[in-house]
Amino acid sequence: MEVIIQPDPDAAAGLVARVVARELRGNPHLVLGLATGKTMERVYQRLVQKHREQKLDFSLCRTFNLDEYVGLPSSDRNSYRHYMDHHLFRHVNIDPRNTHLPNGMAEDLDRECELYEKAILRCGGIDLQLLGIGKAGHIGFNEPLSALRSRTRVKALTPITLAQNAALFGGEKKMPRRAITMGVGTILECRRCLLLATGEEKADIVARAIEGPISGMVSATALQLHARCTVVVDEAAAAKLTEVDYYRWIFDNEPEWREFRTLKRP
Ligand code: F6R
């Protein structure tokens, strides 16, 4: 795992967007795993900007989102399909047929999960997976006790997740109770993982995910098993980490990050 600490949420999202852009320029056929949520909005803003100003080309890229609520049609403004259309797809030159999200309205949800796994495999697997982290440590909707080898499946959302996202629905009671999510095992098979976390409310869980023991109670700790995982945090989300000097040293010395070392530290 590599940990990159940036001064603020904008700089952190900017770095993530630059990594995505670099990968996409290097491989126009990139299979990109996408996440939703508040934290990712800034990343998508930057990618849209890069498309407009630097002609970042999405025409050959294929995408797979991590998750979708069960029972919400794509027309629902809280569905993740709607989120992706609104924040990214509609604003770039991606072919809608190349964008994939689980169908939370499928009659046979188990079958839908199987088909989603097969679709990922048919595309040759995910090259780069974007991830956020929930307050209980979920990646995707892999809530506490998710098996570290789990595959795409239906998960019940925990009270912490319901509380985290309830405002968008106008209250917890109106929120779906379940979601289809890629499994922890599915995520671990991606060639590269890039997790973004910002804000002081994520500081505790970020420290547990990076420096704590690997546990099914905190799904994000499974990323410690991934051969190529980069975690990008702002100073606020990094506040509870103990080895920050080491992380900064790596970032300052690793050639891969040379072109990203432009920002001054506070
Ligand atoms: C959403 C997802 C979730 C979010 C996480 C953080 O597709 O996979 O794991 O990334 O809940 O959400 P925010 O950014 O809203 O705090």
Side-chain angles (χ1 to χ4, degrees):
M1 209 183 239
E2 267 179 313
V3 182
I4 298 178
I5 304 168
Q6 292 289 283
D8 54 48
D10 262 336
L15 192 145
V16 168
R18 285 175 68 191
V19 173
V20 175
R22 187 168 70 174
E23 296 275 325
L24 190 52
R25 288 197 180 101
N27 173 15
H29 292 271
L30 194 75
V31 181
L32 184 57
L34 297 172
T36 60
K38 205 82 211 106
T39 318
M40 285 299 150
E41 289 178 13
R42 279 194 172 90
V43 175
Y44 298 137
Q45 270 167 22
R46 299 293 187 108
L47 289 174
V48 170
Q49 199 180 355
K50 284 180 195 304
H51 169 69
R52 288 188 181 143
E53 294 170 7
Q54 300 162 18
K55 302 204 175 358
L56 183 64
D57 181 16
F58 290 81
S59 62
L60 299 173
C61 151
R62 284 131 329 142
T63 66
F64 285 90
N65 267 76
L66 284 166
D67 40 22
E68 179 59 283
Y69 290 111
V70 167
L72 289 195
S74 54
S75 55
D76 191 297
R77 52 187 279 281
N78 282 311
S79 73
Y80 285 161
R81 166 58 77 179
H82 184 275
Y83 172 106
M84 289 311 306
D85 285 343
H86 180 74
H87 290 287
L88 183 68
F89 298 157
R90 195 185 294 159
H91 310 288
V92 297
N93 64 334
I94 198 160
D95 182 340
R97 287 169 305 182
N98 288 340
T99 67
H100 304 87
L101 283 95
N103 175 11
M105 295 295 287
E107 233 164 76
D108 184 342
L109 292 170
D110 291 340
R111 176 99 184 111
E112 172 64 17
C113 295
E114 262 173 50
L115 291 175
Y116 203 65
E117 289 273 336
K118 283 191 178 140
I120 294 173
L121 285 179
R122 259 202 317 277
C123 284
I126 292 171
D127 294 309
L128 173 64
Q129 177 67 56
L130 292 184
L131 297 163
I133 184 170
K135 285 185 194 154
H138 70 207
I139 46 176
F141 274 133
N142 290 289
E143 303 289 40
L145 285 179
S146 288
L148 301 185
R149 287 184 166 168
S150 49
R151 313 302 309 183
T152 301
R153 69 216 183 287
V154 177
K155 279 297 281 182
L157 304 176
T158 59
I160 295 182
T161 300
L162 293 176
Q164 186 184 305
N165 293 351
L168 295 166
F169 289 82
E172 249 176 61
K173 292 216 169 75
K174 296 187 188 144
M175 245 192 104
R177 289 291 188 261
R178 297 187 305 158
I180 295 181
T181 179
M182 277 186 209
V184 181
T186 321
I187 294 169
L188 289 180
E189 276 170 19
C190 303
R191 288 180 194 94
R192 182 172 188 188
C193 289
L194 187 55
L195 186 146
L196 173 64
T198 58
E200 62 182 328
E201 71 278 10
K202 297 284 173 71
D204 275 318
I205 199 65
V206 160
R208 286 179 73 191
I210 296 170
E211 295 177 342
I214 296 173
S215 158
M217 288 305 288
V218 180
S219 300
T221 59
L223 295 171
Q224 295 175 29
L225 297 167
H226 196 281
R228 198 154 181 234
C229 176
T230 306
V231 178
V232 181
V233 286
D234 66 350
E235 292 285 350
K240 303 263 169 81
L241 291 168
T242 57
E243 302 297 330
V244 286
D245 291 343
Y246 176 59
Y247 308 144
R248 292 194 209 277
W249 192 91
I250 300 283
F251 183 65
D252 287 346
N253 288 283
E254 196 54 63
E256 181 188 358
W257 300 114
R258 189 174 297 125
E259 66 188 272
F260 296 85
R261 288 195 283 266
T262 48
L263 286 160
K264 291 250 177 314
R265 290 211 190 103

